[in-house]
Amino acid sequence: MREKLNNIELGGEEFPLKCDLAVLEAIQDAGYTMTSFEMAVAGLQPTGEQDKKGKRLYRNVDPSMKVVRMALPLMVNEGIDIENRLECKSRPHITEADLQELSLGNVFQVANVLRREFVRCFESKNPSSTQEEEKSGR
């Protein structure tokens, strides 16, 4: 069973979007940890303080446009690769030049879509099978 690709609209055109191991590796190769990437794309910055329960406090800042520009083609091109393979298409990758020409619309919304896709790749696809494995000691 294959997972449905999410889409993002850029310049009035729909593009498939996928965050998977290849994208995560590219994010790390760019010098980000998973946490630092998510914080940058979400626009969160640690305050250096903690709440009464000892949890770190964060403040909202603008998402990192450097991270958005890096992650957007990674996730879109991974989606295009999957779409091409599964649907026997030959859609070309987007490039940095394409990004400059496409109207991204609200960059805060684009950053939010990227963050949701990033978080989605960590969600358990079948939590009951994982729970069964834990019960059986595997």
Side-chain angles (χ1 to χ4, degrees), residues 1-21:
M1 184 166 113
R2 71 176 194 219
E3 190 176 336
K4 181 182 176 291
L5 292 173
N6 286 327
N7 288 303
I8 187 167
E9 185 177 325
L10 303 170
E13 188 177 348
E14 290 284 321
F15 291 90
L17 195 68
K18 182 66 177 172
C19 183
D20 59 12
L21 286 174

Side-chain angles (χ1 to χ4, degrees), residues 74-93:
L74 287 174
M75 291 186 193
V76 167
N77 289 335
E78 188 67 14
I80 288 171
D81 285 345
I82 292 168
E83 181 183 78
N84 284 346
R85 187 174 64 252
L86 295 176
E87 299 177 15
C88 298
K89 291 184 176 183
S90 58
R91 187 177 194 173
H93 281 179

Side-chain angles (χ1 to χ4, degrees), residues 7-15 72 76 91 94 98-107 109-110:
N7 288 303
I8 187 167
E9 185 177 325
L10 303 170
E13 188 177 348
E14 290 284 321
F15 291 90
L72 184 59
V76 167
R91 187 177 194 173
I94 63 169
D98 294 331
L99 283 180
Q100 292 175 5
E101 293 174 12
L102 291 170
S103 170
L104 298 182
N106 183 326
V107 292
Q109 289 176 345
V110 171

